[in-house]
């Protein structure tokens, strides 16, 4: 947890200085580019660029490594399920059928395997940019910035609150689970049965939910008592102005995005498959 | 001219049958400073919510009669109109801290009023100056103490310029020294800006540290007293309605001193009276020495514990050693951040020390797993809502037993025994949600006792509780020692340590700076100052009267007090 008890990590990198709204727009453009096609080359390029960006954003590796691990594990599970449930999917996409081998009686097609790798990398290529947005953006400046580009402030403020309270809920989870572990409901290595462990984690969610609901009620009251929502507009103590530099970055991003869209339109298939 | 006026005012929550506030009639004048006191469930918070508009806008119900706040009827307006007249400082400093930094939090009201950022920044700085917090403008709430957070909230409300300030239990969750500072700050602002101030609290002694114009006592939704604090204090009103009198007044009453001879009794210094001194120093009370601890039997031994969260980081515990006997209750005192919770986490096996040993009944358990330790050393968290997982009392109490896979008949037997010990037998078929706070606390203690632990660690068992619940919880905990259970209380409540524990261990900056009888510890000025504790009024009284044996006087009073209550 950072100094502010938020996900935001202080720093002075290029990405920290970039106006949050511009960062958000770039993230959206990045996502559209990723979802527009199913091209291994593009995913690899974006992933590489993303990792370089992540390096420049000075976000400590120890913080992002777990998130990377989670996404990679999710991707592997997803890939296995695709291979099991729709082993023919690659064939449908490419119109070809090359049987590689069979695992436990399930046939594995090269086309499907290639598809699975492509889609995994596609998801993964979203991650660096998302991490940069979450960890290098000051929550209130993000909210004020979103408000500035026309998003209603109540919605913008919700982002702020969410970013702020995630670490607190994490902390609460820790405290509650420790107390439960002390009376025999461990979710760690102490409990040998995996099913029991899952069950015990689930039982923690009840007090966690209770205290979270209590907290939401308190925060809502605290905000209303201090006149949140009084007018259609509100001003911001932590404003971030959009500088000329920010605009230049935005123009560059738009240019690259247009190029990507143009390139996509010239292709006849959204799935890139080199072994034809 | 009254700024707040209740006329035949009643309020009933939509989901309740009985009204929470019942035919209230009283006024508060402009510039007055009023303390509204009442036990839990007396309706004091609801009363405040009626003034600031939480009732009926966030919690709906049926209103009768009339309430006027600064010329408007709150329930006929919207919550924003009321916010202009009355600003509220909530008791939970963490969830009322909305901004990410001190400056941002103070600015919150102005942001919502769409004030120009340049003007806003100037105003924020000025309001922070008025509470001497301007240095902290860019700090995050996590770097502030409870008292400092309270000051920041105050600055935020001040910047909005409302005439009425409402404080909802401002002392809850504060350590004694910070609480004292907050009360002083409120008083200074009252003198400087002449605002109307209403404080809702049940910690009357702490609020009365500074002058209060009027004390209103509320019970079951009705006004029971509405007078100058002195008048109320000289009668037996507070005790009657489940509230605690200032300790020194309890002592004076105890020695049958005629309170009429003392003017300004709310000020402890006014007790400097030759007659009082004569009575207190000549009238010896003979009490039976507590004989429980003659045969000392070592239960838990903690030796040379060191701990830090990471190798490079600050050392949280430094060479901590202490012992606990069978059937003993000890308290661990210290300010926030002194290392109290880390120490309790180490005792309960949640954290492992870097070095040092923990022996339980002669067996080294330092390396044992949390599950193994959990059966022998129980841990009860401060907030019962953090612990309770099941909806039915029986399921909750048996949860640990089931987890350790005991035999069914055994579980049933143990369960019945436990609910009987805990006075929950009559409620055993109730859902947990219908219990009071004190009862929920009992359920959590029961769920730990069911495992038959040798030691129970309780984190702030009475925090935020009124005197009635406090006594109920603590008497129950004390009785557990009869079975030989050793009890460790983590607390910053001096009264609690004094009244219920045989020994106090004082932590400061991760080191033990005192380990002795509470009466001795709390009359040691050095330790009290170093650990951010507060001298109890009992010890102050003996200082003011220049009694010869301070410690004996305190011990005397506490011992006989216990006797009195047991007979009652």
């Amino acid at each position: 947890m950072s100094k502010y008890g938020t996900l935001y990590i202080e720093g002075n990198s290029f990405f920290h200085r970039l106006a949050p709204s511009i960062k958000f727009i770039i993230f959206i453009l990045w996502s559209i580019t990723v979802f527009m096609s199913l091209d291994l080359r593009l995913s690899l390029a974006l992933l590489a660029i993303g990792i370089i960006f992540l390096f420049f954003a000075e976000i400590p590796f120890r913080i992002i490594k777990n998130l990377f691990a989670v996404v990679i594990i999710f991707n592997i599970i997803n890939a296995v399920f695709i291979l099991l449930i729709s082993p023919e999917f690659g064939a449908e996409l490419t119109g070809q059928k090359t049987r590689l081998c069979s695992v436990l009686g399930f046939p594995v097609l090269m086309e499907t395997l290639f598809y699975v790798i492509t889609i995994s990398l596609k998801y993964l290529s979203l991650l660096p940019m998302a991490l940069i947005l979450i960890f290098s953006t000051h929550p209130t400046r993000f909210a004020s910035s979103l408000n500035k580009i026309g998003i209603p402030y109540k919605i913008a403020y919700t982002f702020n609150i969410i970013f702020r309270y995630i670490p607190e809920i994490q902390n609460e989870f820790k405290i509650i689970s420790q107390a439960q572990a002390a009376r025999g409901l461990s979710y760690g290595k102490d409990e040998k049965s995996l099913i029991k462990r899952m069950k015990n984690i689930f039982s923690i969610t009840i007090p966690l939910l209770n205290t979270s609901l209590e907290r939401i009620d308190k925060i809502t009251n605290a905000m209303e008592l201090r006149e949140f929502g009084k007018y259609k507009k509100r001003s911001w103590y932590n404003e971030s102005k959009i500088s000329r530099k920010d605009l230049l970055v935005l123009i560059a991003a738009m240019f690259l995005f247009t190029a990507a869209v143009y390139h996509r339109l010239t292709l006849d298939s959204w799935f890139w498959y080199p072994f034809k | 001219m009254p700024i707040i006026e209740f006329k035949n005012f009643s309020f009933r929550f939509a989901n309740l049958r009985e009204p929470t506030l019942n035919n209230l009639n009283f006024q508060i004048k402009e510039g007055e400073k009023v303390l509204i006191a009442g036990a839990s469930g007396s309706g004091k918070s609801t009363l405040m919510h009626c003034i600031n508009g939480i009732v009926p806008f966030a919690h709906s119900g049926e209103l009768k009669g009339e309430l006027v706040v600064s010329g408007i009827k709150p329930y006929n307006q919207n919550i924003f109109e009321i916010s202009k007249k009355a600003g509220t400082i909530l008791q939970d400093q963490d969830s009322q801290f909305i901004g990410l930094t001190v400056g941002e939090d103070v600015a919150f009201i102005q942001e919502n009023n769409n004030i120009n950022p340049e003007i806003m920044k100037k105003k924020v700085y000025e309001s922070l100056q008025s509470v001497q917090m301007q240095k902290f403008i860019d700090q995050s709430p996590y770097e502030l103490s409870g008292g400092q957070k309270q000051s920041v909230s105050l600055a935020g409300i001040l910047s909005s310029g409302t005439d009425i300030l409402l404080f909802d239990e401002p002392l809850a969750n504060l350590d004694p020294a910070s609480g004292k500072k907050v009360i002083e700050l409120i008083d200074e602002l009252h003198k400087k800006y002449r605002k109307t101030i209403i404080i809702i609290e049940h910690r009357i002694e702490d609020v009365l540290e500074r002058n209060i114009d009027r004390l209103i006592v509320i019970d079951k939704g009705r006004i029971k007293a509405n007078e100058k604090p002195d008048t109320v204090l000289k009668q037996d009103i507070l005790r009657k309605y489940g509230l605690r009198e200032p300790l020194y007044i309890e002592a004076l009453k105890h020695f049958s001193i005629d309170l009429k001879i003392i003017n300004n009794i709310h000020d402890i210094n006014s007790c400097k009276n030759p007659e009082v001194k004569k009575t207190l120093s000549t009238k010896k009370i003979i009490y039976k020495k507590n004989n429980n601890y003659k045969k000392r039997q070592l239960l838990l031994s903690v030796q040379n514990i060191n701990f830090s969260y990471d190798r490079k980081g600050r050392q949280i515990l430094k060479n901590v050693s202490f012992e606990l006997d069978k059937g003993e209750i000890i308290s661990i005192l210290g300010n926030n951040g002194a290392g109290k919770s880390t120490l309790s986490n180490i005792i309960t096996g949640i954290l492992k020390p870097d070095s040092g040993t923990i022996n339980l009944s002669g067996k080294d358990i330092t390396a044992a797993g949390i599950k193994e330790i959990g059966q022998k050393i129980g841990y009860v968290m401060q907030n019962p809502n953090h612990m309770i997982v099941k909806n039915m009392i029986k399921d909750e109490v048996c949860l640990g037993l089931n987890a350790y896979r005991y035999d069914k008949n055994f579980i049933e037997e143990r369960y019945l025994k436990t609910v009987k010990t805990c006075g929950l037998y009559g409620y055993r078929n109730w859902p947990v949600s219908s219990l009071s706070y004190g009862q929920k606390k009992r359920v959590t203690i029961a769920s730990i006792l069911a495992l038959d632990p040798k030691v129970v660690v309780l984190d702030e068992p009475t925090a935020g509780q009124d005197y009635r619940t406090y006594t109920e919880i603590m008497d129950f905990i004390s009785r557990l020692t009869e079975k030989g259970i050793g009890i460790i209380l983590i607390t910053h409540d001096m009264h609690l340590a004094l009244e219920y524990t045989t020994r106090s261990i004082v932590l400061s900056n991760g080191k033990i700076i005192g380990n002795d009888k509470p009466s001795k510890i709390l009359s040691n000025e050095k330790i009290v100052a170093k650990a951010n504790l507060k001298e109890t009024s009992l010890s102050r009284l003996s200082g003011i009267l220049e009694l010869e044996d301070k410690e004996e006087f305190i011990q005397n009073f506490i011992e006989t007090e216990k006797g009195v209550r047991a007979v009652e």
Side-chain angles (χ1 to χ4, degrees):
Chain A
M1 202 157 51
S2 77
K3 169 184 155 189
Y4 293 105
T6 61
L7 296 171
Y8 166 61
I9 294 158
E10 266 184 296
N12 194 26
S13 73
F14 169 75
F15 291 99
H16 282 84
R17 287 188 308 258
L18 194 60
S21 50
I22 306 289
K23 227 184 297 181
F24 186 65
I25 292 171
I26 293 177
F27 173 70
I28 299 289
L29 296 180
W30 186 286
S31 309
I32 295 171
T33 313
V34 168
F35 278 105
M36 223 159 39
S37 60
L38 201 54
D39 189 329
L40 187 65
R41 295 164 300 178
L42 182 74
S43 299
L44 275 173
L46 288 176
L47 184 62
I49 296 168
I51 288 173
I52 292 167
F53 280 2
L54 207 51
F55 180 74
F56 277 113
E58 291 163 12
I59 293 161
F61 179 67
R62 68 183 162 82
I63 287 168
I64 50 180
K65 69 168 189 238
N66 285 341
L67 285 162
F68 258 101
V70 168
V71 173
I72 289 171
I73 290 169
F74 167 79
N75 268 332
I76 291 172
I77 294 171
N78 187 39
V80 169
F81 270 95
I82 293 173
L83 285 172
L84 284 179
I85 293 164
S86 48
E88 302 273 314
F89 192 70
E92 282 168 39
L93 274 178
T94 57
Q96 282 174 266
K97 209 168 170 180
T98 321
R99 196 170 159 149
L100 267 184
C101 59
S102 72
V103 180
L104 299 168
F106 287 96
V108 177
L109 297 185
M110 189 165 87
E111 287 78 13
T112 313
L113 190 65
F114 190 80
Y115 166 76
V116 159
I117 292 169
T118 309
I119 194 125
S120 298
L121 277 167
K122 174 173 158 168
Y123 291 144
L124 202 60
S125 66
L126 275 175
L127 188 63
M129 223 36 211
L131 292 178
I132 288 171
L133 183 69
I134 292 169
F135 289 106
S136 77
T137 315
H138 186 284
T140 0
R141 267 182 230 139
F142 184 47
S144 73
S145 192
L146 288 182
N147 184 214
K148 205 146 242 170
I149 59 168
I151 292 170
Y153 76 80
K154 280 187 182 170
I155 294 172
Y157 215 88
T158 315
F159 278 102
N160 178 14
I161 298 276
I162 291 171
F163 278 122
R164 248 205 79 176
Y165 289 103
I166 286 174
E168 273 193 38
I169 291 170
Q170 282 174 339
N171 202 30
E172 212 145 75
F173 178 85
K174 209 173 103 194
I175 294 172
I176 295 173
S177 60
Q178 284 171 344
Q180 301 297 354
R183 60 167 168 163
L185 289 120
S186 176
Y187 69 101
K189 289 175 194 119
D190 280 317
E191 182 58 66
K192 287 183 185 74
S193 150
L194 200 66
I195 296 167
K196 274 232 159 139
R197 232 192 260 185
M198 300 297 276
K199 234 171 138 184
N200 290 344
I201 289 184
F202 183 72
S203 70
I204 293 166
T205 55
I206 294 157
L208 190 66
L209 204 69
N210 275 336
T211 52
S212 301
L213 288 175
E214 251 173 58
R215 187 188 291 269
I216 290 168
D217 189 49
K218 280 183 189 160
I219 297 169
T220 323
N221 280 346
M223 287 174 71
E224 279 200 346
L225 284 173
R226 285 155 77 188
E227 307 178 38
F228 185 78
K230 190 176 184 180
Y231 297 117
K232 280 220 167 94
K233 272 189 175 173
R234 100 196 270 278
S235 53
W236 300 83
Y237 179 79
N238 262 318
E239 255 185 329
S240 65
K241 292 205 173 79
I242 295 175
S243 67
R244 186 171 296 173
K245 237 183 182 172
D246 291 324
L247 282 177
L248 280 175
V249 173
L250 181 66
I251 289 167
M254 292 294 255
F255 177 74
L256 288 172
F257 176 69
T258 321
V261 173
Y262 178 76
H263 175 71
R264 166 72 186 85
L265 291 176
T266 59
L267 296 173
D268 30 280
S269 160
W270 75 313
F271 180 48
W272 178 73
Y273 187 66
F275 309 108
K276 276 188 184 168
Chain B
M1 214 335 239
I3 193 161
I4 294 173
E5 186 170 21
F6 284 86
K7 262 193 226 158
N8 306 322
F9 185 85
S10 298
F11 175 74
R12 185 180 62 80
F13 281 105
N15 58 346
L16 293 182
R17 225 180 294 158
E18 297 298 317
T20 302
L21 297 175
N22 219 326
N23 200 27
L24 301 180
N25 279 296
F26 71 96
Q27 299 178 340
I28 289 171
K29 288 198 272 311
E30 205 171 334
E32 242 188 327
K33 190 174 168 206
V34 180
L35 166 61
I36 299 180
S40 315
S42 60
K44 60 180 190 305
S45 299
T46 310
L47 177 70
M48 168 169 284
H49 287 163
C50 288
I51 301 174
N52 67 20
I54 292 284
V55 166
F57 298 109
H59 300 302
S60 58
E62 181 195 25
L63 284 158
K64 272 186 204 153
E66 204 178 76
L67 163 64
V68 180
V69 177
S70 208
I72 59 164
K73 288 180 185 167
Y75 40 87
N76 288 342
Q77 306 282 337
N78 59 46
I79 203 157
F80 305 126
E81 283 306 307
I82 309 159
S83 303
K84 274 192 221 157
K85 311 279 185 192
T88 312
I89 289 100
L90 299 168
Q91 60 165 298
D92 186 333
Q93 299 110 17
D94 288 322
S95 52
Q96 77 174 308
F97 213 109
I98 298 161
L100 220 49
T101 60
V102 168
E104 202 183 303
D105 193 68
V106 174
F108 192 72
I109 293 182
Q110 294 168 59
E111 289 180 321
N112 294 328
N113 280 297
N114 209 6
I115 307 276
N116 176 294
E118 299 296 313
I119 300 168
M120 172 164 31
K121 286 200 171 139
K122 225 177 109 197
K123 250 186 158 178
V124 165
Y125 191 80
E126 283 166 7
S127 340
L128 280 171
Q129 257 179 331
S130 65
V131 297
Q132 282 128 37
M133 287 291 290
Q134 70 274 24
K135 269 191 288 180
F136 296 87
I137 193 160
D138 289 321
Q139 307 266 6
S140 114
Y142 290 86
E143 296 168 305
L144 304 182
S145 70
Q148 288 171 329
K149 281 183 204 165
Q150 206 61 291
S151 304
V152 172
S153 316
L154 200 46
I157 298 294
L158 280 178
S159 71
S160 74
T162 56
D163 292 328
I164 305 169
L165 300 182
L166 304 169
F167 291 88
D168 187 4
E169 303 203 20
L171 300 176
N173 314 324
L174 292 188
D175 63 55
S178 314
K180 195 175 168 202
K181 272 183 209 139
V182 167
I183 289 299
E184 285 166 2
L185 179 65
I186 295 174
D187 193 49
E188 276 156 33
L189 296 173
H190 180 241
K191 284 183 184 138
K192 200 164 155 194
Y193 301 104
R194 297 309 307 170
K195 306 238 181 214
T196 308
I197 288 178
I198 301 173
I199 304 170
I200 306 269
E201 250 305 336
H202 57 83
R203 280 166 68 176
I204 294 168
E205 171 161 356
D206 297 304
V207 180
L208 290 180
E209 284 269 334
R210 288 296 179 100
N211 197 38
I212 289 285
D213 297 322
R214 209 136 48 89
L215 173 56
I216 295 177
V217 178
I218 176 167
D219 184 63
K220 294 191 183 118
R222 291 174 195 275
I223 304 279
K224 296 296 179 185
N226 177 9
E227 288 174 88
K228 277 196 182 308
D230 280 4
T231 322
V232 179
L233 290 174
K234 285 180 185 174
Q235 293 166 289
D236 277 331
I237 293 174
L238 297 178
R239 206 167 248 240
K240 192 172 163 195
Y241 297 113
L243 291 160
R244 170 141 235 190
E245 298 175 301
L247 210 50
Y248 69 96
I249 291 182
E250 255 179 50
L252 295 178
K253 284 185 179 169
H254 191 82
F255 285 90
S256 316
I257 288 168
D258 183 9
L259 300 182
K260 279 183 208 126
I261 60 168
I262 306 167
N263 292 321
N264 296 324
I265 195 163
H266 67 270
D267 178 5
I268 188 169
N269 292 307
S270 65
C271 298
K272 194 178 168 72
N273 179 310
E275 212 164 309
V276 176
K277 184 176 177 176
K278 208 179 109 197
T279 319
L280 291 196
S281 43
T282 51
K283 209 169 174 180
K284 282 268 183 258
I285 289 176
I286 303 146
Y287 63 93
K288 273 189 243 158
K289 281 245 181 224
N290 216 333
N291 291 323
N292 290 355
Y293 310 107
K294 264 189 176 167
K295 274 180 271 164
R296 291 199 45 196
Q297 233 184 320
L298 185 63
L299 179 61
L300 179 77
S301 159
V302 175
Q303 296 301 331
N304 306 319
I305 295 290
N306 284 295
F307 181 81
S308 55
Y309 279 100
D310 52 287
R311 263 173 232 143
K312 282 176 241 156
R314 190 169 69 91
Q315 210 174 340
I316 310 286
L317 294 175
K318 296 166 201 156
N319 231 7
V320 169
S321 306
F322 71 91
E323 289 174 346
L324 173 74
D325 286 344
K326 260 191 161 175
E328 197 185 12
I329 305 190
I330 62 169
S331 45
I332 297 182
L333 304 173
N335 56 323
N336 299 340
K340 288 186 308 225
S341 9
T342 310
L343 181 58
S344 74
N345 281 348
I346 285 182
I347 298 168
T348 49
I350 291 167
L351 293 172
K352 290 286 161 215
D354 299 339
S355 64
T357 54
I358 301 169
N359 275 294
L360 181 69
S361 317
K363 199 183 151 215
D364 188 346
I365 54 159
T366 323
I370 185 170
K371 218 176 156 181
E372 193 189 333
I373 296 178
Q375 265 179 301
K376 293 169 187 145
I377 302 179
Y379 176 50
V380 180
M381 298 173 88
Q382 179 179 337
N383 183 351
N385 294 333
H386 273 160
M387 285 190 79
I388 295 173
V389 174
K390 298 286 182 191
N391 188 34
M392 299 306 293
I393 293 178
K394 183 174 181 180
D395 297 337
E396 185 64 31
V397 174
C398 297
L399 193 64
L401 292 170
N402 287 325
Y404 287 109
R405 298 175 194 205
Y406 283 104
D407 171 71
K408 250 197 181 144
N409 295 328
F410 177 82
I411 291 180
E412 187 67 25
E413 195 185 310
R414 183 66 77 67
Y415 156 70
L416 285 173
K417 209 178 117 197
T418 313
V419 284
K420 274 179 194 157
T421 323
C422 298
L424 290 167
Y425 188 75
Y427 305 99
R428 66 190 185 285
N429 295 322
W430 287 30
V432 176
S433 52
S434 58
L435 300 180
S436 72
Y437 187 93
Q439 289 164 336
K440 276 188 189 168
K441 191 91 205 174
R442 279 179 187 227
V443 171
T444 59
I445 297 174
S447 70
I448 296 300
L449 286 182
L451 296 170
D452 197 19
K454 294 194 163 75
V455 178
V456 177
V457 181
L458 294 115
D459 191 5
E460 292 286 1
T462 59
Q465 298 314 299
D466 60 52
Y467 191 41
R468 201 180 284 150
T469 319
Y470 167 96
T471 320
E472 179 201 313
I473 295 173
M474 284 318 299
D475 286 347
F476 166 64
I477 291 172
S478 303
R479 260 180 274 127
L480 299 177
T481 58
E482 290 160 14
K483 300 192 168 60
I485 296 177
I487 289 179
I488 301 176
L489 303 176
I490 315 274
T491 183
H492 44 224
D493 185 340
M494 304 300 111
H495 289 176
L496 178 71
L498 203 52
E499 286 181 314
Y500 288 96
T501 66
T502 46
R503 208 148 43 85
S504 286
I505 291 168
V506 185
L507 271 179
S508 169
N509 264 327
K511 270 194 207 145
I512 290 186
I513 58 165
N515 181 353
D516 211 328
K517 267 199 286 188
S519 53
K520 210 164 213 163
I521 293 271
L522 294 173
S523 43
N524 182 333
E525 281 159 38
K526 252 195 211 155
I527 293 180
V528 165
K530 206 170 172 196
N532 222 16
L533 304 175
K534 202 178 115 188
E535 200 183 4
T536 63
S537 62
L538 215 48
S539 130
R540 270 173 75 197
L541 181 66
S542 61
I544 288 164
L545 294 171
E546 295 158 354
L547 296 181
E548 272 160 37
D549 197 338
K550 220 170 163 182
E551 190 211 324
E552 195 189 273
F553 166 72
I554 297 173
Q555 195 62 36
N556 240 333
F557 170 69
I558 294 297
E559 293 289 341
T560 46
E561 253 291 296
K562 271 189 194 161
V564 169
R565 225 183 10 245
V567 175
E568 268 177 0

